[in-house]
Amino acid sequence: MTRFHDRQDAGRQLAERLASYAAEHPIVLALPRGGVTVGYEVARALSAPLDVWVVRKVGVPWQEELGVGAVAEPEYLYLSDTMLRGTGLSEDRLADVIAAKRREVAQRVQKFRGERPRPALRDRTVIVVDDGIATGGTIRAAVRSMRSERPKQIVLAVPVAPPEEIRALETEVDRVIALLTPANLIAIGYWYDDFTQVSDDEVVRLLDRARREHAAAVPAHA
């Protein structure tokens, strides 16, 4: 399988697969941080507005990288029953971790969106973008919280994801588009030549740029 040069390259390739959705006048919601770089290219190609949907992984207290679920805006909590059983944890035992992640979500929403309201999703086509999926916990939390906003449809679009996660997530959204589906993922970054970490400042810059470009384009389509 061919790797992506960087997130911009992945976003442009993903946009080609999503071109037919331009007629739906969708909104692109990217998971920060890395998903915003990919999502910017998708939103620009589809002449769609770009925003974020903030999600934070909930890890086990002794090994934070091991996710048992995620917290998504506005107040959604997803915990994997399988992971809870495997670790012997419960929601009560994770209360402090969950509370901390809720605070992180609120802080990031403020940083990335400022005083702007959360985007209205009701009856809209929503394209959810990230730079890749490993275990699917954060994506699952994101799309379930979006679903409560009653969008017309949710399309999940990612450059790379393992086939078992694609199959699992097909029950959560209306369509999944993944450009690469390696049986042995190894790590998301393995599928990029350049997987440099995206900073908060870069996320803010891209969101501001996307808003200006979309606002400038709207009169031309009116």
Side-chain angles (χ1 to χ4, degrees):
M1 293 184 182
T2 303
R3 299 199 302 178
F4 304 106
H5 175 61
D6 54 18
R7 291 182 181 87
Q8 288 89 344
D9 173 39
R12 288 190 286 269
Q13 291 190 46
L14 204 53
E16 292 179 7
R17 289 282 300 275
L18 292 162
S20 63
Y21 285 97
E24 298 275 344
H25 304 292
I27 180 170
V28 176
L29 295 181
L31 272 59
R33 301 181 186 106
V36 175
T37 309
V38 180
Y40 170 79
E41 299 294 338
V42 172
R44 183 168 67 170
L46 301 184
S47 297
L50 173 68
D51 210 320
V52 291
W53 203 263
V54 180
V55 188
R56 297 298 287 160
K57 180 171 66 177
V58 175
V60 301
W62 59 86
Q63 189 180 348
E64 190 173 346
E65 315 84 58
L66 180 61
V68 295
V71 172
E73 63 171 300
E75 289 290 335
Y76 187 82
L77 171 66
Y78 162 74
L79 293 174
S80 166
D81 291 337
T82 301
M83 291 301 297
L84 290 179
R85 286 194 301 270
T87 57
L89 291 168
S90 65
E91 184 173 342
D92 287 343
R93 290 185 63 190
L94 287 167
D96 289 344
V97 175
I98 292 169
K101 295 301 177 181
R102 289 191 192 279
R103 289 192 294 271
E104 288 182 24
V105 167
Q107 290 165 358
R108 285 178 171 235
V109 168
Q110 176 64 34
K111 178 177 292 185
F112 298 144
R113 196 177 292 134
E115 300 304 317
R116 295 184 304 278
R118 194 168 63 254
L121 306 184
R122 187 182 178 94
D123 297 328
R124 299 194 71 174
T125 293
V126 177
I127 299 177
V128 186
V129 178
D130 203 355
D131 55 9
I133 297 173
T135 60
T138 52
I139 284 284
R140 190 168 281 104
V143 298
R144 288 185 180 183
S145 62
M146 292 174 194
R147 186 69 75 185
S148 67
E149 307 280 320
R150 301 180 68 181
K152 176 183 177 182
Q153 62 178 328
I154 298 177
V155 178
L156 174 58
V158 292
V160 58
E164 65 272 16
E165 286 301 327
I166 294 297
R167 289 191 293 270
L169 288 164
E170 283 175 340
T171 65
E172 303 278 349
V173 298
D174 298 282
R175 186 183 179 192
V176 180
I177 295 174
L179 302 180
L180 300 179
T181 56
N184 184 16
L185 180 72
I186 304 174
I188 294 172
Y190 175 82
W191 300 95
Y192 290 82
D193 294 328
D194 179 358
F195 199 63
T196 305
Q197 185 174 359
V198 178
S199 68
D200 287 350
D201 288 345
E202 177 69 2
V203 170
V204 172
R205 186 187 71 81
L206 284 173
L207 291 172
D208 286 345
R209 181 178 174 185
R211 279 191 295 273
R212 291 195 304 271
E213 291 175 344
H214 183 65
V218 167
H221 297 297

